[in-house]
Amino acid sequence: MEFEAVIGLEVHAQLATESKIFCACSAKFGASPNENTCPVCTGMPGVLPVLNRKAVEFTVRTALATSCKVQRRSVFARKNYFYPDLPKAYQISQYELPVALGGHVDIEIDGGAKRIGITRIHMEEDAGKLVHEGEFAGAQASLADLNRCSVPLMEIVSEPDMRTPGEGGAYLRRLRDILVYLEVCDGNMEEGSFRCDANVSVRPVGQKEFGTKAELKNMNSFRNVEKALEYEIRRQIETIEDGGEVVQETRLWDANAGVTVSMRRKEEAHDYRYFPDPDLLPLIVEEAWVDTLRKTIPELPAEKIARLASQYGIPKYDAGILASERPLADFFEASAAFFPGNAKTTANECVHWKDAIRAGKLSPETIAHAVEDRENGTVSATASKKLVELVVETGKPFRALRDEKGLTQVSDASALDAVVDKVLSASPKEVESYRGGKVGLLSFFVGQVMKESRGKANPKVVQEVLKRKLG
Amino acid sequence: MTITREEVLHVARLARLALSDAEADRLREQLGRLLDYMKQLDRLDTRGVVPTSHAVEMGTPFREDVVIPFGDREAILSNAPDRQGDFFRVPRIIED
Amino acid sequence: MANVPVHEWTLLEAARKIREKEISSRELTGALLARIGALNPKINAYITVLPERAAAQAAACDEEQAKGSLRGPLHGVPLGLKDIFCTRGVRTTCGSRILHNFDPPYDAAVAGKVLAAGAVLLGKHNMDEFAMGSSTETSGFGVTRNPWDLSRIPGGSSGGTAAAVSSAMCFAGVGTDTGGSIRQPASLCGVVGVKPTYGRVSRYGMIAFASSLDQGGPIARTVPDAAALLSVIAGYDRRDSTSVDVPVPDYLAASGKPVKGLRVGLPKEYFGGGGLDPAVKAAVERALKALVDQGATAVEVSLPHTSFALSTYYLVAPAEASSNLARYDGVRYGHRAEGAAGLIEMMSRTRAEGFGDEVKRRIMIGTYALSAGYYEAFYGKAQKVRTLIRGDFAKAFEAADVLLTPTAPTPAFRLGEKTDDPLTMYLSDIFTIPCNLAGIPGLSVPCGLSADGLPIGAQLLSDHFREETLFAAAGAIERAIPVPRVAPLEG
């Protein structure tokens, strides 16, 4: 029997606002324990939430960028449960009426395109962190750090449209890139600003009903998501083939062992008792505001890749790498604007130097000059690489360094005439051998000319001149 | 309205309230009678009525995204029944 | 005025006499502290008394006044606050042992406003635990006794505040009202109590019971006093998302306005019931006559869903409360059970030890009403009936400017009389509850005494943000029907 997998992904993205969603504490990562707290986010008696406008803005822009329908009226609801990292013993979230519904993300997979649906996007607050006292399993206590409480989160729920781990990975990467493009999230899975849970089930090919799904958690990188999905799909298929049944449960990915493990905790069907939060009035997002925000949506990854490929005639793959970071793509275009002569080379250079570009050590002009000088033979490829390294080191302009280090190569054939003549007249025997058939000696002559010119001759031009003179 | 003992214990667990047997029995009886009284609401036809989920009819106000530190971590921690340095300390969760 | 003891002055008199330097804040505060010392052991209106702090505040007020500056309209006047308002540096218990040692690092908006107006804080008033009760018998700090008859309850949940005001242990106080908790005790203690429109007074720092119903409001011995105090505590607060940005009118001026032409609605459902004490009915009719004699007109109105209000309230309020009280889990503040083996045990025993029976009962009802499978039948249904009740009032206010009803069905009952059956206790709120569900303002003003000499109050209700109408009508009743405002105690 042939099986297919059905995958849905739930992403929690931390919004890159300055302050928390319901209070004015800093939302930034890395403070010392309980430093970024106040009575509101620590749930003291009598405190009340007030909504951060920027968090709404970021969520609406995300909804627009994923073609969702922004709801004019949405409602915050309390999700009630007890845990030491949840100070109010409820999380303010959205339940029946979220901010956005019904969108999609387009991905490229195996040379084709696929549309992954987005069911909904809603806003909620993050919980704190619980660390376990001591490293040993017998630790008696846990320690609660509430810094992260009330950091704004956006929950993005996909339709169960993915069929392979590869599609899952592609969807996640594309979604992350969109969020980073919008500057609403820094998209860092390892640091936890972009988190993913997966719902996976399998069914015989051709069956319409979904199989029983398992929820996967604890995957902290794109690669781990794909690996966890691969493992779980195989596990479920094997279970069924062995005559067993897939249980609806939550499973944790163990990256070290490469397996998913059942949480086995008695999940007393979490009854969250959702009800509209009476401390917050409905969130009203007016059409006029949505229109204003729509104008702030930049060209998104999919469009940018297509445009870069067609406008600059570069392969989609290269365009994909450039577009994976908006500043890199912008850099490439600025560079190509300076020197449009060879966009493919410019693209390659941008990809090659992307770390330095990200660090702000190179300007678009530098790459443009590097490419231009190589194109017109002013410098050799080797020299060009060396010079760009020097720019990174010293910050001095490319051409200034080129001239300073005397790395201009001579590409003018007539200028090389004299040197070539000198070399040929100094090696009459070799000339005769060459003319006699030993064409391999060409490299010898090239070497000599290079030596004579102290490396400044353009080897390609040298070769042409030699060939012409040698006959 | 009949509420079973299991239901009472289930609700008490959801609410993190430890109940003695006597309390559980008393609550079972009291809750049953109270909920019976409240079933009078079933007599009302509320089809098409919009629930009053919010006491005020307007959109929620916004706050600008500006950090204003509370600036007194000690005040936040000083009421803690058990603390370790700058952490709140709690017993571990025991699987049961 | 000649032989009126200092502690029996009205709030406005006290404020004026300080302003005019007839008395110092120190002296006034000292007098009240002495009275508290003498009476509180009997009445237990105060959970926490602040003799040093109050004396220091009073001294500071006098010094500032000597330098020519007054903080505000209540400069130097000693007041009390229900122990539901967080007061920085002063223990705030909400009447519960689970918060027996809670020291808030912030002031409630109400506390801040009262202090900014120059008042001196005498202490924190006793209350039903987490404001859940109608008699102050559920307090974790002992019962409060009605100053008019120490064997009787003062009402609740703001029983401590009403008793303190009624026994002149403060010039006025601020309580809270979720289903009648200001108006009912005011009625039972013979003082004036006002529940403002929902959103009129900031809930920031006011420990939450039922968020969509709670409102803070003044309890004072006269209508002008209550009006003046409401002006101090009302106003928009951006820390409370449910706070409404509507200007605060001159309530004091409103309390003197004539009532000629005022249409007084009498909801028939409030007068027909068997539970209504005849003395109460008679007293309210006297209040109506007082209004009509001054030019108002009476009109019968109907609030058809009145009989469903109790059920609606006792589903909505406990549901919200079950969520609001979940934060008391022993982790960050308050009581924590000792010797628990694990987290769940710690939380469950903490709450079992820290909460009283009434609170536990309401948490259970509320959790049940919200739980899977029951939401639509209970909480969902109640929220719809609430809409119908709001609709009743909206319609009634087309025909009337103000509604007149009894505040409580009977005068103060005896301690322990209704504690056996929760439902019997809940029925004492039958007249006050609908107003909270609709969000409209309500006021109780003394309008007579029973044959036993127990206070009876009349309730006035008006449309949203029409407190001025309430004060005008209440002022007219007060001027026409003098009822002693200080309980006749020895001491």
Side-chain angles (χ1 to χ4, degrees):
Chain A
M1 181 156 44
E2 278 272 340
F3 285 92
E4 73 170 352
V6 174
I7 300 167
L9 295 177
E10 224 173 79
V11 164
H12 284 88
Q14 266 183 6
L15 297 179
T17 53
E18 295 295 321
S19 61
K20 295 186 175 183
I21 190 173
F22 295 120
C23 69
C25 290
S26 167
K28 293 289 172 269
F29 180 80
S32 63
N34 288 304
E35 187 185 319
N36 290 342
T37 61
C38 74
V40 177
C41 57
T42 55
M44 294 193 124
V47 298
L48 296 168
V50 185
L51 180 60
N52 182 336
R53 185 203 302 270
K54 192 133 241 145
V56 180
E57 217 183 86
F58 282 7
T59 308
V60 171
R61 287 173 67 232
T62 303
L64 292 172
T66 53
S67 309
C68 290
K69 287 157 223 34
V70 176
Q71 305 299 297
R72 183 182 173 273
R73 181 178 182 274
S74 62
V75 170
F76 286 99
R78 295 189 183 179
K79 179 179 181 181
N80 299 279
Y81 65 96
F82 287 85
Y83 208 65
D85 70 0
L86 193 67
K88 299 186 292 296
Y90 59 84
Q91 176 197 32
I92 299 179
S93 177
Q94 293 186 305
Y95 184 57
E96 287 182 336
L97 298 175
V99 164
L101 291 167
H104 58 259
V105 165
D106 291 331
I107 57 173
E108 269 106 60
I109 193 83
D110 297 334
K114 182 166 177 174
R115 176 157 288 187
I116 308 296
I118 288 182
T119 314
R120 55 182 276 155
I121 300 180
H122 74 251
M123 301 176 63
E124 59 186 29
E125 55 179 349
D126 209 344
K129 268 211 182 84
L130 215 52
V131 297
H132 303 298
E133 199 181 45
E135 293 304 322
F136 52 96
Q140 291 304 300
S142 299
L143 304 175
D145 172 8
L146 306 181
N147 277 343
R148 212 180 55 181
C149 289
S150 228
V151 165
L153 291 180
M154 205 169 34
E155 181 173 322
I156 303 170
V157 181
S158 83
E159 292 284 331
D161 288 346
M162 289 155 278
R163 297 285 171 270
T164 69
E167 287 179 12
Y171 166 81
L172 277 182
R173 287 182 179 87
R174 174 52 53 85
L175 181 62
R176 191 268 314 260
D177 288 349
I178 291 174
L179 297 188
V180 174
Y181 261 54
L182 295 171
E183 292 172 273
V184 303
C185 175
D186 63 29
N188 191 323
M189 274 199 90
E190 284 79 0
E191 269 180 21
S193 65
F194 186 88
R195 303 169 214 159
C196 174
D197 296 333
N199 287 307
V200 197
S201 65
V202 298
R203 65 184 173 188
V205 171
Q207 178 179 298
K208 259 183 32 198
E209 298 80 38
F210 289 155
T212 309
K213 68 177 179 205
E215 189 186 2
L216 302 186
K217 288 181 178 284
N218 199 40
M219 303 159 294
N220 67 355
S221 71
F222 295 127
R223 193 71 199 98
N224 270 312
V225 171
E226 284 168 346
K227 291 205 303 214
L229 288 171
E230 265 166 48
Y231 173 85
E232 180 62 17
I233 290 166
R234 212 173 43 245
R235 184 192 76 83
Q236 289 191 12
I237 292 174
E238 275 169 21
T239 304
I240 295 175
E241 284 178 341
D242 285 347
E245 268 180 27
V246 174
V247 173
Q248 176 162 343
E249 60 181 350
T250 303
R251 299 179 70 86
L252 298 181
W253 171 244
D254 180 343
N256 290 328
V259 300
T260 63
V261 178
S262 173
M263 277 183 86
R264 213 174 288 118
R265 185 186 312 165
K266 254 201 306 214
E267 296 238 310
E268 313 150 340
H270 279 290
D271 184 354
Y272 294 120
R273 291 157 278 133
Y274 284 99
F275 70 101
D277 190 337
D279 289 331
L280 288 166
L281 305 176
L283 171 57
I284 306 292
V285 179
E286 298 287 11
E287 195 60 50
W289 193 18
V290 176
D291 287 338
T292 312
L293 292 176
R294 194 174 280 118
K295 299 196 186 95
T296 71
I297 310 293
E299 183 184 42
L300 295 171
E303 306 163 280
K304 196 181 283 294
I305 291 172
R307 182 179 62 79
L308 291 180
S310 76
Q311 185 177 335
Y312 296 94
I314 59 177
K316 260 204 162 173
Y317 180 79
D318 295 12
I321 299 183
L322 291 172
S324 72
E325 283 163 64
R326 200 170 138 206
L328 186 62
D330 291 345
F331 183 100
F332 160 72
E333 294 204 77
S335 204
F338 273 115
F339 177 64
N342 189 334
K344 177 126 185 32
T345 307
T346 305
N348 287 343
E349 289 298 290
C350 288
V351 170
H352 180 83
W353 296 106
K354 69 178 189 312
D355 289 338
I357 292 171
R358 201 186 294 125
K361 299 251 160 115
L362 291 172
S363 70
E365 209 178 18
T366 302
I367 299 295
H369 288 172
V371 174
E372 187 175 15
D373 283 3
R374 271 173 59 186
E375 280 303 292
N376 60 25
T378 311
V379 297
S380 66
T382 325
S384 168
K385 180 156 181 283
K386 191 158 154 207
L387 282 168
V388 174
E389 273 164 16
L390 281 172
V391 173
V392 173
E393 250 174 62
T394 66
K396 288 190 182 160
F398 181 88
R399 281 176 178 158
L401 283 168
R402 175 197 66 183
D403 296 341
E404 191 188 297
K405 305 280 174 191
L407 287 171
T408 326
Q409 57 179 18
V410 182
S411 297
D412 178 13
S414 48
L416 289 171
D417 249 14
V419 184
V420 172
D421 286 343
K422 186 165 173 208
V423 161
L424 291 180
S425 47
S427 322
K429 265 216 310 234
E430 287 78 0
V431 173
E432 225 186 281
S433 292
Y434 180 87
R435 285 198 177 127
K438 283 227 164 110
V439 291
L441 283 168
L442 186 62
S443 42
F444 164 74
F445 292 124
V446 171
Q448 292 297 100
V449 172
M450 295 306 290
K451 214 167 95 183
E452 188 61 39
S453 71
R454 266 164 292 137
K456 280 185 170 268
N458 183 337
K460 264 212 334 252
V461 178
V462 165
Q463 264 197 28
E464 279 158 27
V465 174
L466 280 167
K467 279 195 189 153
R468 200 183 0 105
K469 288 190 190 264
L470 288 165
Chain B
M1 179 158 169
T2 326
I3 304 189
T4 67
R5 195 144 198 282
E6 285 67 46
E7 280 183 295
V8 170
L9 294 176
H10 173 70
V11 171
R13 178 135 171 124
L14 281 178
R16 294 296 186 263
L17 282 176
L19 298 178
S20 68
D21 285 340
E23 276 179 307
D25 284 331
R26 204 167 2 108
L27 278 166
R28 179 159 94 93
E29 195 243 338
Q30 284 175 344
L31 256 51
R33 266 191 302 119
L34 286 167
L35 291 165
D36 255 336
Y37 178 80
M38 313 228 228
K39 280 183 141 252
Q40 63 158 192
L41 296 182
D42 289 346
R43 285 194 259 132
L44 286 171
D45 182 0
T46 51
R47 281 172 301 178
V49 177
V50 176
T52 301
S53 49
H54 294 96
V56 180
E57 279 152 42
M58 48 181 217
T60 204
F62 299 122
R63 218 185 74 241
E64 296 313 311
D65 188 28
V66 173
V67 173
I68 305 172
F70 179 69
D72 191 352
R73 170 167 51 186
E74 197 46 44
I76 301 292
L77 291 168
S78 64
N79 276 292
D82 189 5
R83 69 187 266 200
Q84 172 121 319
D86 293 325
F87 290 93
F88 295 97
R89 194 163 177 270
V90 293
R92 276 295 287 277
I93 294 144
I94 292 180
E95 312 285 314
D96 57 343
Chain C
M1 264 307 103
N3 288 318
V4 174
V6 154
H7 54 261
E8 290 189 16
W9 293 343
T10 67
L11 175 73
L12 289 170
E13 280 164 1
R16 181 177 54 79
K17 287 180 198 260
I18 286 184
R19 235 173 12 249
E20 293 172 2
K21 302 201 177 152
E22 271 184 53
I23 192 168
S24 68
S25 175
R26 246 190 231 90
E27 235 186 292
L28 204 51
T29 303
L32 260 64
L33 285 170
R35 186 157 173 87
I36 292 172
L39 290 183
N40 201 52
K42 276 192 279 207
I43 294 180
N44 195 35
Y46 283 85
I47 293 180
T48 300
V49 186
L50 303 165
E52 287 95 35
R53 192 181 224 259
Q57 278 183 328
C61 282
D62 287 336
E63 269 153 46
E64 284 162 31
Q65 187 177 14
K67 294 192 190 121
S69 80
L70 294 172
R71 291 184 196 181
L74 301 176
H75 187 93
V77 181
L79 296 185
L81 293 173
K82 182 176 183 180
D83 205 13
I84 198 170
F85 293 103
C86 288
T87 40
R88 190 195 324 210
V90 174
R91 170 179 81 155
T92 301
T93 69
C94 211
S96 178
R97 301 240 56 110
I98 215 168
L99 286 179
H100 70 100
N101 59 354
F102 176 59
D103 179 5
Y106 48 92
D107 276 326
V110 162
K113 282 184 171 253
V114 154
L115 293 170
V120 170
L121 186 64
L122 289 165
K124 309 299 288 298
H125 295 141
N126 198 16
M127 53 183 284
D128 279 303
E129 187 182 8
F130 284 105
M132 300 186 200
S134 311
S135 63
T136 312
E137 289 175 288
T138 71
S139 171
F141 298 87
V143 304
T144 297
R145 292 168 185 280
N146 192 318
W148 290 78
D149 179 338
L150 299 178
S151 73
R152 294 181 187 265
I153 52 105
S157 60
S158 308
T161 307
V165 171
S166 154
S167 59
M169 282 198 268
C170 58
F171 288 103
V174 185
T176 64
D177 190 312
T178 304
S181 292
I182 285 175
R183 291 161 285 152
Q184 184 252 25
S187 173
L188 268 44
C189 289
V191 291
V192 178
V194 184
K195 181 206 88 71
T197 309
Y198 185 88
R200 176 79 279 186
V201 174
S202 168
R203 293 186 300 116
Y204 182 78
M206 193 176 104
I207 298 176
F209 158 23
S211 317
S212 75
L213 303 168
D214 296 340
Q215 265 294 282
I219 297 179
R221 288 195 285 276
T222 70
V223 171
D225 280 358
L229 187 47
L230 182 58
S231 286
V232 168
I233 63 175
Y236 177 61
D237 182 2
R238 53 170 13 117
R239 294 169 299 179
D240 174 3
S241 295
T242 60
S243 171
V244 180
D245 194 357
V246 164
V248 180
D250 186 347
Y251 293 126
L252 184 55
S255 69
K257 289 248 157 67
V259 295
K260 193 165 157 67
L262 191 73
R263 299 170 301 161
V264 179
L266 300 163
K268 65 179 198 242
E269 292 84 4
Y270 284 56
F271 291 93
L276 181 57
D277 185 308
V280 173
K281 187 158 189 267
V284 175
E285 282 165 353
R286 216 174 307 129
L288 175 63
K289 183 169 186 304
L291 289 172
V292 168
D293 285 348
Q294 294 178 66
T297 55
V299 53
E300 191 187 73
V301 297
S302 174
L303 298 169
H305 296 95
T306 298
S307 64
F308 298 99
L310 205 74
S311 298
T312 304
Y313 175 81
Y314 277 104
L315 285 169
V316 171
E320 293 182 8
S322 70
S323 179
N324 285 328
L325 267 62
R327 67 190 61 195
Y328 305 106
D329 57 11
V331 174
R332 295 160 313 287
Y333 43 77
H335 173 67
R336 182 192 286 199
E338 302 205 345
L343 183 73
I344 294 181
E345 187 193 330
M346 183 281 273
M347 288 186 172
S348 304
R349 276 185 38 222
T350 292
R351 293 159 65 76
E353 288 168 15
F355 290 142
D357 286 344
E358 185 59 38
V359 166
K360 286 182 196 171
R361 188 161 30 243
R362 297 203 197 187
I363 290 176
M364 291 289 287
I365 296 174
T367 306
Y368 195 87
L370 290 172
S371 65
Y374 293 109
Y375 181 99
E376 269 318 312
F378 288 118
Y379 183 74
K381 184 77 180 182
Q383 288 288 52
K384 290 184 179 181
V385 177
R386 187 171 173 179
T387 304
L388 297 177
I389 291 171
R390 284 170 83 111
D392 281 359
F393 282 104
K395 190 147 186 290
F397 288 122
E398 285 167 16
D401 301 308
V402 73
L403 305 181
L404 175 68
T405 81
T407 306
T410 67
F413 44 90
R414 295 201 191 274
L415 287 154
E417 189 176 313
K418 302 200 181 191
T419 48
D420 282 342
D421 177 19
L423 197 52
T424 313
M425 184 68 85
Y426 297 166
L427 286 163
S428 37
D429 293 330
I430 206 156
F431 298 133
T432 49
I433 275 174
C435 138
N436 300 80
L437 291 170
I440 59 172
L443 176 159
S444 180
V445 59
C447 63
L449 295 174
S450 72
D452 298 331
L454 296 170
I456 295 170
Q459 175 175 243
L460 293 160
L461 303 171
S462 74
D463 209 351
H464 299 89
F465 296 104
R466 293 262 197 269
E467 284 86 346
E468 296 139 284
T469 313
L470 296 180
F471 286 119
I477 293 172
E478 180 170 86
R479 286 186 296 277
I481 307 177
V483 182
R485 297 305 170 85
V486 178
L489 287 155
E490 293 90 50

